Amino acid sequence: MKLWGGRFTKEEDQLVHNFNESLSFDQKFYKQDIQGSIAHVKMLEKQKIISTKEREQIIQGLETIQNDIESGKLVFDKESEDIHSFVEAHLIERIGNAGKKLHTGRSRNDQVALDMKLYIREELMETDALLKTLLGSLLNVMENNTETFMPGFTHLQKAQPITLAHHFGAYFEMFKRDRSRLHDIYKRMNYCPLGAGALAGTTYPLDREYTAKLLDFYGPTLNSMDSVSDRDYLIEYLSALSIIMMHLSRFCEEICIWNSNEYRFVNIDDSYSTGSSIMPQKKNPDIAELIRGKTGRVYGALISILTTMKGLPLAYNKDMQEDKELPFDAIDTVKSSLMLFTGMIDTMTFNTDIMEASTKHGFTNATDAADYLVNHGVPFRDAHGIVGKLVLFCEEKGIALDDMTLEEYQAISPVFQKDIYDAIRLDTCVDKRLTIGAPSPKTMQEVIEIYKDYLK
């Protein structure tokens, strides 16, 4: 069924129909389309545009269509142009003339705008819930590892000693910001476009505030042209999804590094690994690698819709039908990535002895040796140079700062005394970093309590 046939004298070419149709992908909207239609007819009856009997017939018809779709009794056909015409055609077929009044005071332009908003709003909330679950998993690792030493890196080189809790806390902050972005998008997008018509509203006495309330919006949109041509909320959502994937990809990159034979910091559970078809010893971090790889796929959806929208005049244009297929794929990709990543984190184990040994043999306590000299009256710039000589000496001998004798220390600077060994111990290096945001167990425990309150 076409919703626009009266003006045309020729049938649509089949190739044109195939190119133009959207039911093959906007069938995802069937619940949102029916939900919006039910709110619309309730408003039409309230405004005495249709009768109570017609409202009841239409709502009952719409509900049976939804039930039949979900039970598999009603299958999406290839004849309908889109989900809107599919639902309306089957409604008219089931209840007759009353079904023809469903579209009163409405255009497909404001209808699809509503469906998209309802769909994105629901997906946004699901994404937020998955992020919250992931944060709970990260927090669990943090609580159990406030004294698990590991090297912190800059330029992929060992820099200073931190803890596993501190490292995971950095990602907790990232994903917390991701949730904040989603909440901001929700606040901006949660206004109802239904009633905007094609672009200029309608002469029917619609109660847009009532429709908005029925659909849990804050209120109606305030410009009918913007209502049907706005996809900012989708672009913002895809941008937020891209940032989520960027964070996941960074974390996955580190897990791949930590899983390597050279590091051996982590053991990825067998259920989140695969093997090689030729090398029997291999255990590959495929889930981490796939999430890292799929990040580009989500970026592509964002760039696609930005490119589509950049040259469009007001109001609605058919180009905007391209706002569905790639975004749908991106949304599904992010949701599955979050679920799989959370499962991988929940089942992952850590080789804490190897992590601590790596920390000791990477001169991560060099800064603390310099701080020791500063605390004994040596200007920092001079202390920096002295410790540089210590590191060079250790590299030549193949030892760590902890392994140097006091005589070797004093040969480079007489300022060093026996207490240098206490000053550069891993627990000392970490424990004395007490400012908020630093890795000491005491500070991390304070932050963990803040995170617990946040997740409540």
Side-chain angles (χ1 to χ4, degrees):
M1 171 186 170
K2 298 291 188 296
L3 302 181
W4 42 267
R7 184 252 181 264
F8 290 78
T9 57
K10 285 186 177 181
E11 285 296 315
E12 184 182 32
D13 185 270
Q14 187 61 44
L15 286 175
V16 173
H17 172 81
N18 295 344
F19 193 70
N20 190 53
E21 70 85 26
S22 60
L23 181 62
S24 56
F25 47 86
D26 71 13
Q27 61 186 249
K28 273 182 176 280
F29 286 161
Y30 78 89
K31 284 191 293 187
Q32 289 77 17
D33 198 73
I34 290 171
Q35 179 187 3
S37 292
I38 289 173
H40 182 64
V41 297
K42 285 181 178 179
M43 180 275 298
L44 290 178
E45 187 268 341
K46 173 181 173 293
Q47 297 301 100
K48 304 191 185 313
I49 298 170
I50 63 173
S51 69
T52 300
K53 181 180 179 181
E54 288 168 332
R55 181 201 69 180
E56 291 172 354
Q57 285 179 297
I58 293 171
I59 291 176
Q60 183 179 17
L62 290 170
E63 288 175 343
T64 59
I65 288 171
Q66 180 169 337
N67 291 336
D68 287 350
I69 291 172
E70 291 173 350
S71 69
K73 185 177 179 182
L74 179 59
V75 179
F76 295 109
D77 58 54
K78 294 182 179 180
E79 301 304 316
S80 298
E81 184 178 357
D82 51 36
I83 188 61
H84 323 300
S85 56
F86 175 85
V87 171
E88 188 170 331
H90 282 278
L91 181 68
I92 294 169
E93 184 182 299
R94 294 182 183 205
I95 69 170
N97 285 333
K100 296 178 180 179
K101 296 190 175 184
L102 169 64
H103 209 54
T104 307
R106 189 173 69 169
S107 164
R108 276 193 301 178
N109 293 358
D110 61 343
Q111 190 176 358
V112 72
L114 173 68
D115 290 0
M116 193 65 167
K117 271 201 172 180
L118 290 173
Y119 181 81
I120 295 300
R121 187 175 69 177
E122 184 176 321
E123 293 296 323
L124 189 152
M125 290 189 289
E126 287 186 17
T127 307
D128 180 63
L130 290 170
L131 281 169
K132 187 176 181 182
T133 301
L134 172 56
L135 287 171
S137 296
L138 298 183
L139 187 58
N140 184 56
V141 174
M142 292 172 66
E143 286 188 274
N144 294 320
N145 291 280
T146 57
E147 297 184 35
T148 300
F149 298 118
M150 66 172 291
F153 295 84
T154 62
H155 310 280
L156 275 180
Q157 299 179 65
K158 295 173 187 177
Q160 291 181 288
I162 57 169
T163 64
L164 184 59
H166 192 238
H167 197 107
F168 268 55
Y171 285 101
F172 193 103
E173 286 292 323
M174 293 184 207
F175 294 120
K176 184 157 67 85
R177 288 195 296 271
D178 289 328
R179 290 191 73 204
S180 177
R181 271 183 279 273
L182 294 179
H183 296 171
D184 287 344
I185 295 166
Y186 186 98
K187 290 175 185 176
R188 271 189 295 278
M189 73 173 287
N190 199 37
Y191 291 88
C192 184
L194 196 57
L199 81 160
T202 176
T203 57
Y204 293 99
L206 307 184
D207 186 343
R208 294 191 62 212
E209 286 79 6
Y210 179 70
T211 310
K213 184 178 179 181
L214 288 176
L215 294 168
D216 292 322
F217 286 103
Y218 299 146
T221 52
L222 299 182
N223 184 282
S224 56
M225 293 183 76
D226 180 63
S227 300
V228 298
S229 61
D230 169 37
R231 294 297 183 271
D232 287 3
Y233 61 92
L234 174 60
I235 293 169
E236 284 192 80
Y237 182 43
L238 288 172
S239 175
L241 294 182
S242 295
I243 297 171
I244 290 169
M245 288 301 289
M246 180 264 289
H247 291 154
L248 286 173
S249 184
R250 292 182 70 182
F251 211 158
C252 285
E253 171 72 7
E254 294 202 303
I255 288 170
C256 290
I257 292 170
W258 294 352
N259 182 69
S260 67
N261 295 334
E262 287 71 22
Y263 278 76
R264 294 182 294 123
F265 283 5
V266 299
N267 296 308
I268 300 175
D269 191 79
D270 286 356
S271 59
Y272 288 88
S273 306
T274 63
S276 165
S277 63
I278 189 172
M279 295 171 286
Q281 82 280 13
K282 294 296 292 296
K283 182 178 176 182
N284 301 324
D286 278 11
I287 296 303
E289 291 175 350
L290 270 173
I291 292 171
R292 186 177 61 187
K294 287 178 182 291
T295 300
R297 186 172 181 154
V298 178
Y299 289 0
L302 171 61
I303 296 302
S304 174
I305 187 65
L306 282 169
T307 306
T308 296
M309 296 299 297
K310 76 175 182 64
L312 297 187
L314 292 173
Y316 181 82
N317 298 271
K318 191 69 171 182
D319 314 48
M320 293 167 69
Q321 185 168 291
E322 290 298 302
D323 67 350
K324 296 175 185 65
E325 289 176 277
L326 291 180
F328 290 167
D329 178 78
I331 292 166
D332 291 343
T333 297
V334 174
K335 287 165 62 180
S336 61
S337 295
L338 283 168
M339 286 186 279
L340 286 165
F341 187 85
T342 301
M344 184 172 63
I345 291 294
D346 286 339
T347 55
M348 186 184 296
T349 57
F350 301 91
N351 298 319
T352 57
D353 292 344
I354 294 174
M355 295 167 81
E356 182 169 336
S358 176
T359 312
K360 288 180 177 176
H361 292 90
F363 303 109
T364 60
N365 50 2
T367 301
D368 297 272
D371 290 341
Y372 171 90
L373 292 172
V374 170
N375 290 330
H376 287 74
V378 179
F380 178 77
R381 190 51 56 203
D382 293 340
H384 188 283
I386 292 168
V387 175
K389 292 177 182 177
L390 292 179
V391 171
L392 181 61
F393 175 83
C394 289
E395 286 180 336
E396 289 173 348
K397 293 194 68 174
I399 61 174
L401 291 174
D402 312 65
D403 302 325
M404 289 179 64
T405 66
L406 183 58
E407 291 74 19
E408 288 169 334
Y409 268 109
Q410 291 181 335
I412 293 175
S413 173
V415 176
F416 288 113
Q417 300 299 320
K418 286 184 179 180
D419 57 348
I420 180 60
Y421 297 104
D422 287 331
I424 63 171
R425 282 201 338 259
L426 283 185
D427 56 346
T428 305
C429 296
V430 174
D431 290 353
K432 68 185 180 183
R433 286 176 158 77
L434 293 166
T435 54
I436 191 71
S440 72
K442 182 178 183 297
T443 304
M444 283 307 308
Q445 197 55 54
E446 293 174 9
V447 170
I448 285 169
E449 293 305 316
I450 293 170
Y451 288 165
K452 283 181 178 178
D453 288 340
Y454 163 77
L455 287 179
K456 288 177 184 177

